[in-house]
Amino acid sequence: MRRKLIAVLMMSVLATGCQETITGTALPDSAAIGSSSPTTTAAEGPVPLAKLSGIWTGTYTCAQGETELTLTIDPAVSGAARAVFAFGPTTKNPDVPIGSYEMTAQYVDRILEITQQRWIEQPSGYVMVDLLANAVSANSLSGIVDDSGCTTFKITRDRS
């Protein structure tokens, strides 16, 4: 009988709730979002986006191996710039096909995020990747290629 009474009481509590109203401000669960501070967008990074327009060349590494990268960044408009990511073979990796796609470049938390938009020329089996430049200077950009199977990139400004 006692077990039956406890079961009925528990079912009653579960069905009706505790009926207590709690007031205050909801806070995010830090375990769910990690211990980092909230993401905010910064207007500029170490080098103003307006000063990064031009042609940049170098390499990046993904599953296909070292790959040539030419990044053309247009002049910035309203905190963002259009860019074209063109890739192809290197002397160490001559079998990489040629391809290109449009991107958008903007600073987020002082990291230059260069994100994929749409293909211009897509080789079979290739996907677009994003770039996160955490080392930005007037003459070089380097950082992480943001896709599984990829590692880093490093490009320098063309002087021609």
Side-chain angles (χ1 to χ4, degrees):
M1 177 78 169
R2 186 174 176 178
R3 280 187 185 170
K4 208 175 210 185
L5 181 59
I6 292 172
V8 169
L9 287 172
M10 289 186 70
M11 293 299 286
S12 175
V13 168
L14 289 174
T16 61
C18 66
Q19 302 292 326
E20 182 180 349
T21 303
I22 299 173
T23 58
T25 304
L27 297 174
D29 180 4
S30 61
I33 61 171
S35 60
S36 62
S37 59
T39 301
T40 57
T41 301
E44 293 297 337
V47 176
L49 188 56
K51 295 190 182 238
L52 296 178
S53 64
I55 300 171
W56 302 75
T57 57
T59 60
Y60 72 101
T61 304
C62 281
Q64 73 274 9
E66 181 184 82
T67 304
E68 181 179 294
L69 167 60
T70 300
L71 186 71
T72 304
I73 302 174
D74 291 344
V77 176
S78 300
R82 178 185 173 271
V84 173
F85 181 110
F87 61 92
T90 64
T91 54
K92 291 181 185 176
N93 196 6
D95 296 327
V96 173
I98 293 172
S100 61
Y101 51 92
E102 289 183 11
M103 303 184 85
T104 299
Q106 64 184 358
Y107 280 107
V108 176
D109 287 339
R110 299 184 58 80
I111 301 291
L112 182 61
E113 291 188 5
I114 309 167
T115 55
Q116 58 190 283
Q117 296 299 314
R118 70 170 190 84
W119 280 103
I120 297 169
E121 181 179 355
Q122 181 181 13
S124 178
Y126 276 71
V127 297
M128 295 183 282
V129 296
D130 295 334
L131 303 175
L132 303 174
N134 53 13
V136 178
S137 76
N139 296 313
S140 69
L141 302 174
S142 63
I144 298 166
V145 181
D146 193 21
D147 191 64
S148 63
C150 299
T151 58
T152 59
F153 77 96
K154 181 172 175 109
I155 53 179
T156 56
R157 184 188 295 274
D158 279 5
R159 291 292 172 195
S160 51

